[in-house]
Amino acid sequence: METLKQEAIKAISRLPETLSLDDIMYELYVIDKVKKGREAVERGESYSIEDLKREMQSW
């Protein structure tokens, strides 16, 4: 299992050389959010499509 630092280094190394620091930080932000989302799904902390449809009907 990779450490967080190793994951960040690997992600940054795949990015184009011309990116700004803001672009790099955004990429790391997105990777973090996706990772946290996947972990939430694994813990059963997610909504089904049906749940979302019911919620949207109340809007």
Side-chain angles (χ1 to χ4, degrees):
M1 185 174 191
E2 290 183 329
T3 66
L4 183 57
K5 181 179 177 179
Q6 289 168 329
E7 287 180 49
I9 291 169
K10 193 157 106 178
I12 291 169
S13 69
R14 289 191 299 256
L15 296 173
E17 295 292 327
T18 58
L19 287 183
S20 69
L21 183 55
D22 286 337
D23 293 334
I24 293 169
M25 291 182 347
Y26 178 74
E27 291 290 330
L28 293 175
Y29 170 82
V30 170
I31 290 168
D32 179 58
K33 293 302 174 185
V34 169
K35 182 178 178 179
K36 287 180 179 175
R38 288 180 177 167
E39 290 169 354
V41 169
E42 288 175 6
R43 291 189 306 268
E45 300 171 357
S46 61
Y47 296 97
S48 69
I49 296 295
E50 291 77 28
D51 292 337
L52 292 173
K53 287 179 182 178
R54 279 192 298 276
E55 171 106 12
M56 287 175 56
Q57 288 176 351
S58 69
W59 296 353

